[in-house]
Amino acid sequence: MNVTIEDSCIGCGACESICDAVFHVEDKAEVNSSNIAGNEDCVKEAAGACPVSAITVA
Ligand code: SF4
């Protein structure tokens, strides 16, 4: 699974609240790729919850 954050991220923090093992938000969300394995379900949940659809899961 490959997770990227688009520039449209508004830094709302929702992804981190849903899946804090993978997402960390300062000004914008950052992805801790080494933690994706085993957290796929919450990554998908965070992608679905992002208000600006900035999380791309491939
Ligand atoms: S939920 Fe979306 S807009 Fe909010 S911080 Fe995460 S990637 Fe950015």
Side-chain angles (χ1 to χ4, degrees):
M1 177 183 274
N2 192 32
V3 182
T4 53
I5 307 295
E6 308 298 331
D7 286 344
S8 55
C9 170
I10 56 172
C12 72
C15 53
E16 183 171 357
S17 357
I18 293 168
C19 197
D20 67 351
V22 175
F23 297 99
H24 178 66
V25 181
E26 295 287 344
D27 291 338
K28 295 200 172 188
E30 295 172 0
V31 175
N32 184 345
S33 301
S34 58
N35 281 351
I36 292 173
N39 288 297
E40 288 90 347
D41 285 351
C42 77
V43 167
K44 288 179 196 164
E45 187 183 341
C50 176
V52 293
S53 300
I55 303 171
T56 301
V57 177

